[in-house]
Amino acid sequence: MNVILITIAVAFALAFLLGLLLGVFKKIFAVPVNETAVKVRETLPGANCGGCGFPGCDGYAAAVAEGTAEPNLCAPGGASVASSIAKILGKEASIVKKAAVVCCRGTNACAQSRGKYKGVQTCAAAVQAINGTKMCAFGCSGFGDCVAACKFSAIKIGPEGIPVIDENLCAGCGGCVKACPKHLISVLETQKKIAVALCKNRSDNKPSILKNCKNGCIKCGKCEKMCEFGAIKLQDGVPAIDAQKCTACGKCVEGCPTHVLTIFPF
């Protein structure tokens, strides 16, 4: 009987000692918690899309708390989340709404196909295997890598074989931009109208451009010459628009012979 009591007493003593040691170690090795980061993280939607430029919501919350990131970078959260974070920080938040745009009009009807592709049905695989499914080396393959990358169901492959983006659903996170092997998708601000070129063909072989795609930019430079504000410059054969100078007057759109230019938001 005494042996049993002694065993129980020793067990309780050891448990108490271990608990005491654990408490001491917890205090010694405790990692300081940034309460501001915790509050910001609780406000974020948890999409972990990376559109803010940080590795997930935890990374963004930590950066906001440290003062190295603005409170308005969460695209999925939009204005409400930006306002909530700004309130936590005790500052004002300017809301910037963005949306993605597909800079290619190489539809099945107007773009020449390379033939029947029987490989892995992804854009990345098709580009690696045969440089895409279109004769235009810069055209959309249409397998929907961007669709798979979108966490907000904002992209679908349209009936013409190229991605269609719903601006109302798009969070402007940039996931589709990273997924496109041809770099055909851009993310633009939606508050200000701006001209945008819906073609990324950088070839200097002008005769082959329209042969491969009726909607291709033929590098005529007419848009650059017509712009009264110096907002358009041909860079690598592609019209590049300066958002600060562009007034969205539409003259470049009217003058483009292949209707490559348009005004965004649509």
Side-chain angles (χ1 to χ4, degrees):
M1 186 67 179
N2 289 336
V3 174
I4 295 174
L5 292 175
I6 292 172
T7 302
I8 293 173
V10 170
F12 273 113
L14 286 173
F16 177 77
L17 180 60
L18 289 173
L20 185 64
L21 289 173
L22 285 173
V24 172
F25 288 143
K26 184 178 180 181
K27 284 184 174 293
I28 294 175
F29 298 105
V31 178
V33 177
N34 189 319
E35 296 297 333
T36 301
V38 172
K39 292 178 181 178
V40 171
R41 179 62 184 87
E42 290 173 349
T43 303
L44 297 173
N48 289 311
C49 61
C52 57
F54 294 90
C57 294
D58 289 341
Y60 177 51
V64 169
E66 292 169 1
T68 58
E70 294 298 321
N72 61 356
L73 300 183
C74 179
S80 60
V81 168
S83 298
S84 297
I85 295 175
K87 188 175 181 180
I88 293 172
L89 300 176
K91 59 165 62 174
E92 295 291 329
S94 57
I95 311 304
V96 179
K97 178 70 174 71
K98 297 181 178 181
V101 56
V102 179
C103 298
C104 178
R105 297 188 304 136
T107 64
N108 294 334
C110 74
Q112 295 292 322
S113 172
R114 287 185 184 274
K116 185 66 176 178
Y117 171 69
K118 296 183 179 180
V120 178
Q121 302 293 289
T122 67
C123 300
V127 169
Q128 186 174 23
I130 57 173
N131 198 26
T133 60
K134 306 285 174 59
M135 289 300 294
C136 172
F138 306 92
C140 173
S141 294
F143 287 121
D145 289 20
C146 53
V147 177
C150 182
K151 298 183 179 182
F152 309 98
S153 301
I155 311 177
K156 64 180 181 180
I157 299 298
E160 295 183 315
I162 57 175
V164 176
I165 298 176
D166 186 333
E167 291 177 28
N168 295 318
L169 295 177
C170 180
C173 68
C176 54
V177 176
K178 298 175 184 176
C180 179
K182 294 284 189 178
H183 311 292
L184 298 176
I185 305 178
S186 300
V187 173
L188 303 174
E189 294 184 14
T190 60
Q191 284 94 334
K192 181 181 183 296
K193 286 185 174 293
I194 183 176
V196 60
L198 301 182
C199 180
K200 292 285 189 178
N201 190 320
R202 298 184 296 279
S203 172
D204 57 1
N205 187 351
K206 296 181 181 180
S208 70
I209 294 174
L210 285 182
K211 179 181 177 182
N212 294 333
C213 180
K214 296 176 183 177
N215 288 338
C217 173
I218 59 174
K219 326 302 175 193
C220 65
K222 192 173 180 181
C223 54
E224 182 176 347
K225 296 171 185 174
M226 291 186 68
C227 184
E228 300 174 2
F229 308 97
I232 304 179
K233 299 292 181 184
L234 289 182
Q235 295 181 0
D236 294 327
V238 178
I241 291 87
D242 187 331
Q244 300 301 319
K245 296 180 179 180
C246 181
T247 63
C249 66
K251 288 186 178 180
C252 57
V253 176
E254 297 170 4
C256 180
T258 52
H259 310 292
V260 164
L261 286 149
T262 187
I263 300 297
F264 180 85
F266 308 127

